[in-house]
Amino acid sequence: MAAAAVDSGKRPSANGKAAATRSVSSSGMAAKSLPRLALVFLAALLYRQLQAPPPKVPGTPGGPPVTSSRIELRDGRRLAYHESGVPREQAKYKIVFMHGFDSCRYDALPVSPALAKELGIYLLSFDRPGYGESDPHPGRTERSIALDIEQLADALELGARFYVAGFSMGGEVMWSCLRYIPHRLSGVALLAPVGNFWWSGLPANVSRDAWDVQVPQDKWAVGVAHHAPWLTYWWNTQKMFPASSVIAFNPAIFSREDMAILPKFAYRPYAHQVRQQGEHESLHRDMMVSFGKWSWSPLELEDPFPNGEGKVHLWHGAEDLIVPVGLSRYISERLPWVRYHELPTAGHFFTLADGMPDAIVKSLLLGDD
Ligand SMILES: *[C@@H]1O[C@H](CO)[C@@H](O)[C@H](O)[C@H]1NC(C)=O
């Protein structure tokens, strides 16, 4: 087009023939650039579909309100936390609890007030970045979350060492604590921890058997999060194929015992807070980190308590349909310092079963199995 304009500017006295040629050639160019334009337009449309909307940051205009106590991290992000049990200053045991997927600080292990009082337990839980009222952290990794826990513990002056416990994806975070802050830990409880099928050192048949426990739509959702993380937002929001069954709360993933426990899960008056920053910043990013490409494997970890000054407990239900038991079973066989508790009839949500929170905490703190 520009060339044609220059051309006509050079020869203002062009005759009819030349003008006709020009008009043919410029319409030819339009015909050529039309598909190209359409392509650019389609790419832009596609890009917009793949691109998640920006997170709604708590406490900013248009964002959700801040109702909880928060601490500020070294990089300026804030973490929202929730305390329960006995007051920090009176506590004999301090536990930092890490919630699972699609949950928040209020989804802490429901230790009974009686046991908390009897043993002197202080329980601290917090929203993972992007959940509830903690700032988003688009750069979050399997390492950054362990350092967040350490900074939170220091901000609240929990002391040189503290206990950590985590459920489901929060259980997976416990491996990160063992990798990055083992010197800060008094004891660890992994509860139905999510496993990453691509961790190095896992035999192919162990990964495959665990993989096959998942319903087909979760194989797809997890596969996308690992192989094409940039597609995660689109995959879990498009309507052509079923997205993650965990996000969609599909009943197919609840075991017999889970079905009985479910009513307890139904009463969560704070549920609206969980995804309030947007599903991408909370759920999708969780999947991208959890099933992403890790540079290390739990199988490489060493006993954090070689002198027996603490214990690492791993609990998993054999009938867990959300997080297959296979990886936990294999890892605990390979790491003799992991005290493995397999619950033969339990599903995923045994942490809410009657008496279980207290049993888990007693075993963590008192070491009587
Ligand atoms: C995987 O294969 C090994 C040996 O080939 C076998 O001993 C083990 O039981 C298998 N594990 C599973 C979970 O299939």
Side-chain angles (χ1 to χ4, degrees), residues 311 313 339 341 358-359 361-369:
K311 274 265 175 58
H313 294 265
R339 167 80 181 88
H341 310 252
D358 286 9
V361 162
K362 273 190 193 164
S363 107
L364 174 65
L365 304 180
L366 308 177
D368 48 333
D369 237 46

Side-chain angles (χ1 to χ4, degrees), residues 120-142:
I121 302 169
Y122 163 82
L123 195 67
L124 172 65
S125 63
F126 69 102
D127 291 334
R128 268 218 298 286
Y131 280 104
E133 298 180 3
S134 285
D135 282 337
H137 187 201
R140 68 182 156 118
T141 63
E142 63 276 12

Side-chain angles (χ1 to χ4, degrees), residues 6-320:
V6 169
D7 194 28
S8 63
K10 258 195 203 159
R11 279 181 290 166
S13 59
N15 59 27
K17 198 181 166 204
T21 315
R22 248 199 330 275
S23 111
V24 165
S25 88
S26 79
S27 78
M29 269 167 115
K32 247 191 254 162
S33 58
L34 200 67
R36 220 175 293 165
L37 249 174
L39 214 70
V40 168
F41 184 68
L42 269 176
L45 256 182
L46 197 68
Y47 180 75
R48 275 193 53 179
Q49 292 251 313
L50 298 183
Q51 212 46 13
K56 299 188 183 76
V57 179
T60 62
V66 173
T67 61
S68 63
S69 310
R70 307 202 296 177
I71 61 121
E72 190 168 327
L73 300 168
R74 280 191 292 270
D75 64 7
R77 282 182 295 121
R78 277 140 309 187
L79 291 180
Y81 63 92
H82 173 70
E83 302 171 288
S84 58
V86 302
R88 209 185 314 155
E89 307 75 34
Q90 298 164 21
K92 179 160 180 222
Y93 302 103
K94 293 162 189 156
I95 307 176
V96 182
F97 183 81
M98 190 73 276
H99 67 76
F101 187 67
D102 202 6
S103 307
C104 73
R105 63 193 182 283
Y106 293 122
D107 292 303
L109 191 67
V111 178
S112 74
L115 185 73
K117 195 157 171 239
E118 183 195 328
L119 298 184
I121 302 169
Y122 163 82
L123 195 67
L124 172 65
S125 63
F126 69 102
D127 291 334
R128 268 218 298 286
Y131 280 104
E133 298 180 3
S134 285
D135 282 337
H137 187 201
R140 68 182 156 118
T141 63
E142 63 276 12
R143 177 173 180 268
S144 66
I145 185 66
L147 304 181
D148 284 359
I149 289 176
E150 183 179 35
Q151 285 188 64
L152 174 67
D154 287 342
L156 293 179
E157 300 175 336
L158 298 198
R161 286 180 185 262
F162 45 89
Y163 290 86
V164 288
F167 169 64
S168 198
M169 270 191 192
E172 188 183 28
V173 167
M174 298 299 105
W175 294 124
S176 292
C177 290
L178 287 163
R179 169 83 166 80
Y180 295 106
I181 56 164
H183 54 289
R184 303 301 309 273
L185 309 176
S186 300
V188 183
L190 296 92
L191 313 172
V194 166
N196 182 315
F197 304 97
W198 297 272
W199 278 331
S200 64
L202 289 174
N205 63 341
V206 171
S207 278
R208 195 177 337 108
D209 285 2
W211 176 261
D212 284 339
V213 173
Q214 304 175 100
V215 297
Q217 68 206 65
D218 289 347
K219 291 181 186 172
W220 275 100
V222 167
V224 165
H226 179 78
H227 294 292
W230 48 273
L231 251 187
T232 307
Y233 171 72
W234 177 79
W235 183 265
N236 287 291
T237 48
Q238 51 76 34
K239 301 282 178 275
M240 287 176 285
F241 313 103
S244 155
S245 68
V246 184
I247 293 181
F249 229 67
N250 179 339
I253 55 171
F254 298 106
S255 77
R256 213 166 24 92
E257 286 196 11
D258 281 344
M259 287 304 251
I261 292 169
L262 220 51
K264 293 195 185 190
F265 206 62
Y267 182 70
R268 292 163 83 217
Y270 50 82
H272 64 280
Q273 282 196 20
V274 171
R275 307 178 182 186
Q276 65 189 354
Q277 298 183 41
E279 290 189 12
H280 186 65
E281 212 49 49
S282 49
L283 308 185
H284 303 162
R285 213 170 279 293
D286 241 5
M287 295 178 73
M288 287 152 67
V289 172
S290 177
F291 298 111
K293 297 179 171 76
W294 291 31
S295 62
W296 55 278
S297 164
L299 291 163
E300 300 158 7
L301 294 173
E302 290 183 355
D303 187 356
F305 310 115
N307 305 315
E309 64 276 38
K311 274 265 175 58
V312 177
H313 294 265
L314 195 168
W315 300 72
H316 215 120
E319 294 187 6
D320 192 329

